[in-house]
Amino acid sequence: MKRVSLVAALAAAAVFSVSPAGAQTLKTVKDRGMLSCGVSQGLPGFSAPDDKGNWTGLDVDVCRAIAAAVFDDASKVKFVPLSAKDRFTALQSGEIDVLSRNTTWTLSRDTSLGVNFAGISYFDGQGFMAKKALKVNSALELNGASICVQTGTTNEQNVADYFKGNNMKYEVIAFANADEAVKAYESGRCDVFTSDVSQLYAQRLKLATPADHIVLPEVISKEPLGPLVRHGDDQWFDIVKWTLFAMINAEELGVTQKNVDEMAKSDKPELKRVFGTDGNLGEQLGLTKDWVSRIVKATGNYGESFERNVGTGSKLEIARGLNKLWNKGGIMYAPPIR
Amino acid sequence: MAIDARPPPMQLVAKLRRVLGGRSGWKGLIAQVLFVAALFWIGYEIFDNARDNLANQRIASGFGFMSHTAGFGVSQTLIPYQESDSYTRVFLVGLVNTLLVSVVGIFFATVIGFAVALARLSPNWLISRIGGGYVEIVRNLPLLFQILFWYLAVLGALPSPRQSVSVMDSFFLSNRGIVVPRLVGEAGLDGFLVALLIAVAVAIGLPLFARRRLFATGKPMRVWPWVVGLLIGLPLIAFLIFGKPFSLEVPVLRGFNFAGGARLAPEFAALTLALSTYTAAFIAEVVRAGILSVHKGQMEAGASLGLSRGQTLRLIVIPQALRVILPPLTNQYLNLTKNSSLAVAIGYPDLFSVFAGTTLSQTGQAIEVIAITMGVYLLISLVTSALMSLYAWRINRSMGA
């Protein structure tokens, strides 16, 4: 009944609040002493609790980076696990300050949900996972297949577009949670499970015998994933946006968790601006001068976070591909800190 | 004998004053008007403030989204639906699916419930223990657990379509559901349907006629051979005259799934099974309590009239018990309807799943969507209650109570 309480909270917020809600998110977060961050209900690599109950993942690192920038303490985050269909309501109602939950940036979400996407933390695309025993090598061979999907995602609509575009028949079984959808796929109710490719790799790890399943080569959509905030609080929007950009820029500048203190003493004008030894860029955001070193100390730069959570340093072993930096053959790019 | 003059009809204004103002007259009336005005004002403020705040936060509002294209597929629809249809259509698809599972669930829950209640009251030790065991086990396990049990453990354990269990190569049982041959209309269909309709009409009318004859002449009449004869005979005659009414479309395994034929999806089957067996346990207790509330003497009176136990129950005890049974039975029906929203856990596309789920998250218009959904569930419940009240009223009237 989480859903109903969220809607009730949203209705209450809409009905009773007199000033536009959430215009003072930074102050609210500071007063609370805690960042409230919406994450998934357990997606290895992006946001999942480990065996000690600590949340880890690429999306989690974005939350921790924001907390580090605000409090200089990456542990001051309350993680709120949300299903795909509840996530926007939780943000709208003010239950969370930022949603960092592998969420695809689309025009309709940006305009009609009252949210702002603060950048792209992972360039993804939608794919299919099938049992090897089915002997399917391409998504174009899926005519007549039953497809398990999580409801409330862009995946649901992409599947409809793709099958219609290729004149294929399909049957879609939509579940409220990813886990339920994967369970039904594993039990044989569906021939394929569809989701963003990164999620397919993550969910495959949860299966009894991951080696019996393959991810088909076709990527049928663009899924730019990133954190988002409520519309109407530009300062908070800037903080979240530039926290992500700081992680990406840190990688580009070669600043890592290990060498951050050393780099902070550098004489290079670019690094002096970034580390606040010259100018007050951090303060312009409403943070402190040393905001970048706080972030990198807490989570490392974007590349470190990527490798640790989803890349070669993790069980997922996803290649960086599109997510390489722009000057390394990818499209990951952040505006300059100056 | 003097006739008292009739009192003059009360003036409209005076009537109004008495109805609204009560004893305090005009003063009371003013208070009432002010109270209603205040209520309206608060309601308007809430509505207006909500609208302003949604606009400030740039959250879309209003019901315009209902005509937008939905763009997602729904696995099981009773009415035609495709991805390019609007959200209104999605709403109707979901509503029909909810009504379907509720009606079918209520039917089976009632049948199973009555059977279990009678079993529990049976003088046979074993049967009554089985009835008791059923009630205690089923009603004490969470419903969501039971839905997932039926879906994942029972129906999910069936073989894949390629290894499906088949009967005569035309009925297939697999983890995609039950696939059966479908009837496709042919030239003789119209005549056949008319014959069937007449047979059904007569089959319904005949018992009423037999009853009247019994009351008028005291002669009982055996109805069922006539009914069976009509239901089989008339369509058979139509078949001989007009030709083949329909042909069978046998399902064939093609690629991943069966092509052709009609299919009962496992989501629907699991949900119906879970809802009807779960609610049946409660209905069994309601029915048992109702039957026990009828005085024991009624049973003995029936026996001393020479009626069998079944006849006594059917003709004497249950009609009296129904008066007690109906109100709590209505509750169970309402519970079943509302519990059908748990469908979302197993991907059955009911109203809550496709409308308050997918539609809500795609449009983001939580307040509108939830308001519509609440209104619909409320309406379904009110209509169910009204129908049950009507039935209760009829029973009470026929029993002269």
Side-chain angles (χ1 to χ4, degrees), chain A residues 37-50:
Chain A
C37 191
V39 289
S40 79
Q41 290 164 313
L43 180 66
F46 288 85
S47 43
D50 64 12

Side-chain angles (χ1 to χ4, degrees), chain A residues 3 7 10-11 13-18 21 85 88-89 92 111-114 134 136 141-146 151-152 156-157 160 164 170-176 180 183 187-191 231, chain B residues 46 49-50 53-54 56-60 70-75 83-84 87 151-152 156 162 175-176 256-257 263 265-267 344-347 352-353 356-358 360-364 366-367 370:
Chain A
R3 149 136 308 235
V7 171
L10 176 64
V15 167
F16 298 112
S17 72
V18 182
K85 61 175 198 160
F88 301 116
T89 318
Q92 289 169 346
T111 52
S112 66
L113 296 180
L134 274 182
V136 175
E141 296 168 20
L142 291 178
N143 194 6
S146 297
T151 192
E156 234 176 332
Q157 288 165 306
K164 193 160 196 184
Y170 71 105
E171 175 199 36
V172 66
I173 322 284
F175 294 85
E180 286 158 359
K183 193 122 213 139
S187 81
R189 174 63 187 92
C190 300
D191 300 300
H231 185 101
Chain B
I46 286 176
N49 204 11
N53 281 330
L54 288 175
N56 278 336
Q57 291 182 46
R58 295 287 189 282
I59 297 175
F72 63 92
V74 177
S75 61
E83 290 83 349
S84 52
Y87 286 119
Y151 187 58
L152 292 173
R162 291 179 194 180
N175 58 14
R176 302 293 155 80
F256 294 99
N257 248 323
R263 199 166 67 107
E267 288 79 27
V344 72
I346 57 166
F352 198 78
S353 164
T358 311
L360 192 161
S361 56
Q362 281 189 10
T363 60
I367 293 178
I370 292 291

Side-chain angles (χ1 to χ4, degrees), chain A residues 121-197:
Chain A
S121 60
Y122 190 100
F123 290 95
D124 210 339
Q126 186 179 340
F128 298 94
M129 175 162 67
K131 291 198 177 74
K132 271 187 186 158
L134 274 182
K135 300 204 165 49
V136 175
N137 296 314
S138 158
L140 291 167
E141 296 168 20
L142 291 178
N143 194 6
S146 297
I147 301 171
C148 282
V149 66
Q150 185 183 10
T151 192
T153 57
T154 46
N155 303 137
E156 234 176 332
Q157 288 165 306
N158 291 334
V159 163
D161 289 357
Y162 182 75
F163 277 76
K164 193 160 196 184
N166 288 299
N167 259 326
M168 299 194 294
K169 279 198 179 139
Y170 71 105
E171 175 199 36
V172 66
I173 322 284
F175 294 85
N177 293 327
D179 280 345
E180 286 158 359
V182 173
K183 193 122 213 139
Y185 161 73
E186 199 174 14
S187 81
R189 174 63 187 92
C190 300
D191 300 300
V192 290
F193 170 65
T194 186
S195 184
D196 296 350
V197 174

Side-chain angles (χ1 to χ4, degrees), chain A residues 2 14 125 140 157 167 182 211-212 224 230 294 314 321:
Chain A
K2 173 127 202 150
L140 291 167
Q157 288 165 306
N167 259 326
V182 173
D212 289 352
R230 260 185 308 283
R294 284 180 174 192
S314 72

Side-chain angles (χ1 to χ4, degrees), chain B residues 275-329:
Chain B
L275 284 177
S276 46
T277 49
Y278 178 77
T279 314
F282 292 90
I283 290 181
E285 286 300 274
V286 167
V287 172
R288 190 174 70 107
I291 290 177
L292 288 179
S293 75
V294 178
H295 199 271
K296 221 171 87 182
Q298 298 285 325
M299 228 23 214
E300 290 163 1
S304 62
L305 280 174
L307 297 175
S308 72
R309 184 181 143 82
Q311 279 174 319
T312 317
L313 275 174
R314 187 164 55 88
L315 298 172
I316 297 175
V317 177
I318 290 183
Q320 297 183 66
L322 270 181
R323 283 159 65 187
V324 182
I325 292 172
L326 276 181
L329 187 64

Side-chain angles (χ1 to χ4, degrees), chain B residues 323-385:
Chain B
R323 283 159 65 187
V324 182
I325 292 172
L326 276 181
L329 187 64
T330 309
N331 274 342
Q332 295 306 326
Y333 287 178
L334 300 182
N335 279 347
L336 188 145
T337 309
K338 286 177 287 180
N339 285 340
S340 73
S341 63
L342 288 169
V344 72
I346 57 166
Y348 176 75
D350 78 327
L351 181 68
F352 198 78
S353 164
V354 295
F355 194 66
T358 311
T359 301
L360 192 161
S361 56
Q362 281 189 10
T363 60
Q365 297 192 252
I367 293 178
E368 291 87 346
V369 169
I370 292 291
I372 293 177
T373 312
M374 289 200 307
V376 167
Y377 277 107
L378 185 65
L379 192 68
I380 295 176
S381 294
L382 288 178
V383 169
T384 313
S385 305

